[in-house]
Amino acid sequence: IPLRGYITFKDVNFGYDEGKRVLKNINLYAKPGQKIAFVGSTGAGKTTVTNLINRFYEINDGTILFDGIDIRRINKHDLRSTMSIVLQDVHLFEGTIKDNIRYGRLDATDEEIIEAAKLANAHYFIKNLPNGYDTMLTADGMNLSQGERQLLSIARAAVADPTILILDEATSSVDTRTEKLIVEGMDKLMEGRTTFVIAHRLSTVRDSDAIMVLEHGEIIERGDHEELMNLKGRYYELNTG
Ligand code: M5T
Ligand code: MG
């Protein structure tokens, strides 16, 4: 049965260690194709929410549903094969650019890899490298710029064609041109997928279907950009400095 991408959190409480609750009573609902954003101070619990969706950690209080099924009943491998995570720091390995993208789905053909790179806006820079897609990366891709590494991570996610997409946006600055390519690539990647985005650039958040403001593990505000601006609360404060 193809997974559609409904995600529900019901009264989720979670802590990494006994006694310290990191997430408190989280309730949320995401429909296929929706973009849900999390904003809030460092340590608020944004990454933790996404750690629970892909079962890097298990909850024992509350329920998380994927298409109505308790995720604890879904095989971890099956669950993760429907999700891609674009992280702040992508892990690249020593090998060709092609192989680094293929890591998103090991049976991808060369044509699919190029198609994914085009969607991710990574094709332009790859094509201009002396050996193109066969260019060797050093360990962790240190012979690429930070922005290029991010474009590769978007291509890697695109080749996986996930139902659920998790974007933990980079804080580090890249030049404006690359920034534009990254934002555009991510927008194309998000299309038609349930996306959870942890954004540090508030501009990425603006067009979300729902924005969750997390503070100390609690959702203190939720709504779309306009609603939250009108509320003149924490989100408004974040936007107006
Ligand atoms: C929330 C603690 C962390 C903080 C709280 C990932 C992780 C977090 N924590 C652990 O104890 N172990 C872990 O593996 O949980 O942390 P977060 O969810 O990472 O917060 P964030 O994503 O909102 O913060 P940031 O800095 O990425 O914006 O007390 O110590
Ligand atoms: Mg984080």
Side-chain angles (χ1 to χ4, degrees), residues 117-135:
K118 280 184 177 165
L119 183 131
N121 277 348
H123 181 69
Y124 314 103
F125 93 80
I126 298 170
K127 203 179 58 182
N128 284 318
L129 296 170
N131 290 313
Y133 283 83
D134 295 316
T135 302

Side-chain angles (χ1 to χ4, degrees), residues 83-104:
M83 303 183 176
S84 287
I85 312 173
V86 179
L87 283 177
Q88 291 171 332
D89 294 301
V90 58
H91 177 72
L92 298 170
F93 53 85
E94 202 176 323
T96 63
I97 289 213
K98 201 191 277 174
D99 287 343
N100 269 276
I101 296 175
R102 201 194 315 271
Y103 188 73

Side-chain angles (χ1 to χ4, degrees), residues 42-43 45-48 88 168 198 200:
T42 182
K46 305 181 295 293
T47 297
T48 302
Q88 291 171 332
D168 206 337
I198 300 170
H200 299 281

Side-chain angles (χ1 to χ4, degrees), residues 16-17 20 22-23 40-49 51 57 88 168 198 200 214:
Y16 293 94
D17 307 302
K20 194 190 166 223
V22 169
L23 292 180
S41 329
T42 182
K46 305 181 295 293
T47 297
T48 302
V49 172
N51 279 345
Y57 293 89
Q88 291 171 332
D168 206 337
I198 300 170
H200 299 281
L214 269 177

